[in-house]
């Protein structure tokens, strides 16, 4: 069937379903359930025969809204918090998966730029990180403790300040997305260049492996969720640049609601990263095995929650 014929045959039904979703208070739950089934069937057909069409994108967005409203209204033994974590957040992550990928690419590219710049210009690290920080790091390296910077201050105070700062950076990356994604991209680029230059500094002095065993104890989570927050900002900016069939305002409101759910999910991870940096990283010299175990577990948690879980939900609901 040609796409035009497919649209003509079903457009009245889709308009009716949209009206039902807007006025769900006056619609029987069974009708909403039936609408959702019809939408997923049409979506599956569009994904098979028109995989790159706007029709498929439209049905996908409509099916997500239908799923959210249907399962939000159903009585369940699950608490609202559990439903939010297990369903709404993975749905939101799946909805903004492309901006999240773009965020990862920007951050990764900026790390490479930071490494190359620091490799060819010895003064670049000082320009990015500041003379005081670099001099302190060099002194620590000479004393055989390259990550000694993480051992200063009290554990509780360090964890609290680090968590607050990380959350601030994440919310800035999100908020700056309103400037048509440029602001979020800048935050990602700036932080990525810093990370790249920072690692190259340790490589120059031949202590990269030792330093990374400390840095990535907390950095595995910290940097991952900064990328996720940046992706949320890009999603908001892109919603105004590419509103699809919605007005820019409506597209912006929808994107803000979706991206905010993903952003909120990063806060517990930032708290964990702050705890690790304040209480655990300072003891990195005790055991390399401990460091590697924490790093692997951290990346596993991030990949499960932000990659595997959304994909599982998408497959279960026929979105892919």
């Amino acid at each position: 069937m040609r796409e035009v014929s497919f649209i003509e045959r079903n457009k009245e039904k889709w308009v009716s379903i949209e009206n039902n979703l807007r006025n769900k208070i006056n619609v029987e739950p069974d009708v909403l359930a039936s609408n959702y089934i019809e939408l997923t069937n049409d979506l599956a057909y569009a994904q098979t025969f028109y995989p790159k069409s706007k029709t498929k994108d439209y049905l996908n967005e409509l099916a997500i809204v239908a799923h959210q409203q249907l399962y939000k209204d159903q009585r369940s033994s699950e608490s609202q918090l559990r439903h939010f974590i297990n369903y709404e957040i993975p749905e939101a992550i799946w909805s903004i998966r492309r901006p999240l990928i773009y965020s990862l690419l920007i951050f990764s590219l900026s790390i490479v730029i930071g490494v190359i710049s620091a490799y060819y210009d010895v003064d670049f690290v000082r320009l990015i990180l500041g003379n005081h920080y670099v001099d302190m790091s060099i002194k620590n390296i000479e004393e055989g403790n390259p990550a000694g910077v993480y051992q200063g201050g009290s554990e509780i105070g360090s964890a609290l300040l680090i968590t607050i700062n990380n959350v601030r950076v994440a919310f800035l990356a999100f908020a700056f997305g309103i400037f048509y994604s440029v602001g979020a991209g800048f935050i990602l680029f700036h932080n990525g260049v810093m990370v790249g230059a920072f690692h190259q500094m340790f490589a120059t002095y031949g202590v990269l492996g030792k330093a990374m065993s400390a840095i990535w104890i907390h950095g595995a989570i910290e940097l991952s969720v900064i990328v996720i927050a940046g992706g949320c900002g890009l999603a908001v900016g892109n919603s105004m640049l590419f509103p699809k069939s919605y007005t820019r305002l409506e597209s912006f409101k929808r994107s803000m609601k979706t991206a905010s759910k993903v952003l909120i999910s990063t806060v517990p991870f930032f708290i964990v990263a702050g705890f690790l940096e304040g209480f655990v990283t300072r003891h990195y010299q005790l055991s390399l095995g401990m460091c590697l175990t924490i790093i692997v577990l951290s990346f596993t948690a991030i990949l499960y929650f932000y990659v595997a879980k959304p994909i599982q939900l998408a497959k279960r609901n026929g979105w892919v």
Side-chain angles (χ1 to χ4, degrees):
M1 185 189 304
R2 294 176 58 190
E3 185 179 359
V4 174
S5 301
F6 177 69
I7 294 172
E8 286 295 323
R9 177 178 294 185
N10 294 286
K11 66 179 181 180
E12 291 186 5
K13 176 180 66 178
W14 298 337
V15 170
S16 175
I17 292 174
E18 274 199 271
N19 291 332
N20 288 341
L21 293 174
R22 291 195 188 98
N23 304 288
K24 60 179 184 134
I25 296 177
N26 301 318
V27 180
E28 292 293 328
D30 289 343
V31 174
L32 289 176
S34 177
N35 288 164
Y36 177 68
I37 292 171
E38 290 181 343
L39 275 176
T40 54
N41 289 338
D42 290 344
L43 175 59
Y45 187 92
Q47 287 174 327
T48 301
F49 296 101
Y50 325 115
K52 297 182 179 180
S53 70
K54 291 185 177 180
T55 304
K56 187 266 295 183
D57 293 337
Y58 164 78
L59 290 173
N60 185 58
E61 290 185 13
L62 198 59
I64 290 173
V65 173
H67 180 270
Q68 289 173 336
Q69 295 199 5
L70 178 62
Y71 287 93
K72 184 178 180 180
D73 291 339
Q74 283 187 341
R75 291 185 177 181
S76 173
S77 58
E78 289 184 318
S79 67
Q80 289 186 345
L81 178 61
R82 187 173 179 181
H83 184 271
F84 181 73
I85 294 172
N86 289 331
Y87 294 95
E88 293 188 38
I89 291 177
E91 275 184 351
I93 294 169
W94 180 256
S95 297
I96 64 168
R97 61 193 182 279
R98 286 190 179 87
L100 290 173
I101 293 172
Y102 299 152
S103 178
L104 177 61
L105 292 175
I106 292 171
F107 192 72
S108 300
L109 177 61
S110 62
I111 289 176
V112 173
I113 291 173
V115 169
I116 294 174
S117 299
Y119 179 81
Y120 286 104
D121 185 354
V122 294
D123 294 325
F124 183 77
V125 176
R126 294 183 178 275
L127 177 66
I128 295 297
L129 301 176
N131 288 323
H132 174 72
Y133 192 88
V134 172
D135 290 338
M136 178 176 59
S137 297
I138 293 173
K139 181 181 178 182
N140 289 333
I141 291 171
E142 292 172 347
E143 294 174 351
N145 186 17
V149 66
Y150 298 108
Q151 296 173 344
S154 68
E155 294 176 336
I156 296 176
S158 296
L160 182 60
L161 288 175
I162 290 162
T163 300
I164 292 173
N165 181 68
N166 289 340
V167 172
R168 180 185 65 82
V169 172
F171 275 80
L172 279 176
F174 174 69
F176 280 17
I178 197 172
F179 298 109
Y180 295 96
S181 297
V182 175
F186 173 78
I187 296 292
L188 289 165
F189 181 80
H190 179 260
N191 281 273
V193 170
M194 287 180 62
V195 170
F198 186 63
H199 281 70
Q200 180 56 38
M201 176 181 66
F202 290 113
T204 300
Y205 287 90
V207 293
L208 179 61
K210 192 173 182 180
M212 286 182 67
S213 68
I215 297 166
W216 287 92
I217 287 176
H218 58 274
I221 292 178
E222 182 181 295
L223 299 180
S224 295
V225 289
I226 285 176
V227 169
I228 292 163
C232 293
L234 293 177
V236 171
N238 290 351
S239 70
M240 294 184 289
L241 286 170
F242 311 107
K244 297 182 180 178
S245 58
Y246 302 105
T247 64
R248 293 190 188 279
L249 179 59
E250 180 64 22
S251 179
F252 171 74
K253 290 194 296 185
R254 285 172 173 264
S255 180
M256 278 291 291
K257 182 178 179 180
T258 301
S260 294
K261 292 178 181 179
V262 181
L263 184 67
I264 290 171
S265 74
T266 65
V267 174
F269 285 99
F270 274 126
I271 294 173
V272 172
F275 171 83
L276 290 173
E277 188 168 350
F279 287 88
V280 182
T281 301
R282 63 181 63 231
H283 304 298
Y284 76 99
Q285 291 175 309
L286 293 178
S287 170
L288 178 61
M290 175 197 73
C291 298
L292 293 177
T293 299
I294 294 173
I295 292 168
V296 170
L297 288 176
S298 297
F299 275 123
T300 300
I302 290 292
L303 288 172
Y304 172 73
F305 193 82
Y306 290 99
V307 179
K309 198 172 180 66
I311 290 175
Q312 289 172 358
L313 186 66
K315 288 181 177 179
R316 190 160 63 242
N317 289 287
W319 301 339
V320 291

